[in-house]
């Protein structure tokens, strides 16, 4: 089955060159969320909510906060495949979003305003709220907890309704403490820098056959964050 909303995602990427996931189905009992920290050309956080089998996604340049006084810009981006929730690794240079990704937070969420509906009913509501530009959720993550709102800013001639605000609601989890200081992956315990240097990053476990030009790109991507060391190109080539 072709998931229509993933067409854009697929158009932007060449899966011979990037280890990023192509599909997956949301089959769990609860709706999941993931926040990835992504050192692309500009460092940002990707905030993703499972809604109807895909991950509705926003790029949050400054990252989520737990302080209700701070509103964060969240730019809506293309839907991502469900399996993206587990993606941690290196998107090789030359590809869309090239850079390193860690799973900064993960968990599940539910609509904040209704209680205890089925997953299907919750996501039906979420999709309606998404289309209406106002989402209120309760997050159950390792870092992000409690109620959050995502509110679409008023459309004007210059945008296509892509600009939203991510706002922490006032509750017992609200704090002015800087959650951005918690900089490690909740999956691997590694920082972005550590994953960037790691040869065991997901990139290397990809079951897709890496072609030679891809390996050169990967080596370049990995070599970049450690300029003081010798390029790892040679060591990488030996690995096969
Ligand atoms: Mn991103």
């Amino acid at each position: 089955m072709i998931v229509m909303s993933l067409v854009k995602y697929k158009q932007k990427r060449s899966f011979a060159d990037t280890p990023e996931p192509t599909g997956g189905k949301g089959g769990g009992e609860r709706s999941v969320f993931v926040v990835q920290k992504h050192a692309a050309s500009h460092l940002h956080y990707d905030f993703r909510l499972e809604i109807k089998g895909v991950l509705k996604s926003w790029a949050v340049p400054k990252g989520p906060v737990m302080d209700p006084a701070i509103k964060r810009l969240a730019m809506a981006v293309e839907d991502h495949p469900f399996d993206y929730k587990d993606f941690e690794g290196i998107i090789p240079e030359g590809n869309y979003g090239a850079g390193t990704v860690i799973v900064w937070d993960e968990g599940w969420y539910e609509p904040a305003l209704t209680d205890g509906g089925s997953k299907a009913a919750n996501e039906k509501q979420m999709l309606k709220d998404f289309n209406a530009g106002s989402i209120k959720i309760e997050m159950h993550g390792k870092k992000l907890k409690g109620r959050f709102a995502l509110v679409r800013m008023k459309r004007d001639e210059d945008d296509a309704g892509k600009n939203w605000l991510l706002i922490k609601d006032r509750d017992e989890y609200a704090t002015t403490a800087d959650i951005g200081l918690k900089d490690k992956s909740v999956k691997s315990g590694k920082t972005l820098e550590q994953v960037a240097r790691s040869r065991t990053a997901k990139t290397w476990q990809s079951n897709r056959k890496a072609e030679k030009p891809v390996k050169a790109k990967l080596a370049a991507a990995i070599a970049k964050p450690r300029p003081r060391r010798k390029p790892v190109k040679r060591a990488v080539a030996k690995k096969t």
Side-chain angles (χ1 to χ4, degrees):
M1 193 183 87
I2 297 168
V3 180
M4 286 308 290
S5 69
L6 293 179
V7 169
K8 261 193 213 160
Y9 173 86
K10 290 181 178 170
Q11 276 170 350
K12 290 180 179 214
R13 292 168 177 81
S14 167
F15 295 101
D17 296 329
T18 176
E20 291 167 284
T22 57
K25 285 184 212 170
E29 266 175 50
R30 290 164 166 165
S31 307
V32 301
F33 81 85
V34 65
V35 179
Q36 278 145 326
K37 191 175 177 185
H38 183 183
S41 51
H42 297 281
L43 181 71
H44 62 273
Y45 293 71
D46 290 296
F47 188 96
R48 311 187 197 280
L49 301 177
E50 176 192 0
I51 299 180
K52 299 259 181 188
V54 297
L55 302 175
K56 293 286 176 196
S57 298
W58 292 261
V60 183
K62 292 184 177 176
V65 286
M66 298 297 281
D67 182 353
I70 299 173
K71 298 179 168 91
R72 287 296 205 222
L73 177 65
M75 293 175 290
V77 298
E78 76 275 14
D79 290 354
H80 277 51
F82 182 72
D83 286 353
Y84 212 94
K85 70 182 176 56
D86 297 315
F87 180 69
E88 181 165 295
I90 297 161
I91 303 170
E93 251 178 55
N95 289 276
Y96 181 74
T100 310
V101 176
I102 59 167
V103 175
W104 182 79
D105 197 18
E106 64 183 0
W108 61 281
Y109 79 93
E110 58 192 329
L113 301 178
T114 56
D115 42 24
S118 68
K119 180 178 176 180
N122 284 348
E123 292 193 357
K124 194 178 168 188
Q125 182 64 43
M126 282 294 109
L127 191 61
K128 209 173 143 191
D129 294 349
F130 176 84
N131 291 329
S134 176
I135 290 174
K136 292 196 165 69
I137 54 175
E138 182 158 355
M139 304 189 73
H140 305 272
K142 291 172 182 146
K143 296 174 185 168
L144 300 182
K145 294 174 194 290
R147 295 192 303 271
F148 286 79
L150 272 158
V151 184
R152 192 165 58 211
M153 292 162 82
K154 217 175 158 188
R155 289 170 195 254
D156 57 38
E157 284 170 19
D158 297 307
D159 75 53
K162 290 196 169 172
N163 293 337
W164 295 57
L165 293 172
L166 175 64
I167 309 162
K168 177 77 191 82
D169 199 2
R170 292 183 194 281
D171 60 18
E172 68 271 34
Y173 297 107
T175 169
T176 54
D178 183 0
I179 201 168
L181 295 174
K182 296 184 178 179
D183 62 347
K184 292 187 175 77
S185 163
V186 293
K187 264 199 170 340
S188 63
K190 291 178 178 168
T191 62
L192 267 174
E193 293 73 19
Q194 287 168 333
V195 169
R197 283 186 213 128
S198 167
R199 303 239 185 92
T200 54
K202 176 118 188 201
T203 311
W204 300 105
Q205 293 159 10
S206 173
N207 51 15
R208 255 177 257 122
K209 247 191 194 167
E211 314 266 332
K212 269 195 179 156
V214 178
K215 282 193 179 153
K217 278 186 209 161
L218 291 176
I222 292 164
K224 219 177 179 183
R226 46 194 304 208
R228 274 191 284 177
R229 301 230 186 152
K230 278 185 185 171
V232 294
K233 211 173 208 171
R234 214 174 21 192
V236 165
K238 265 185 204 163
K239 237 191 144 196
T240 36

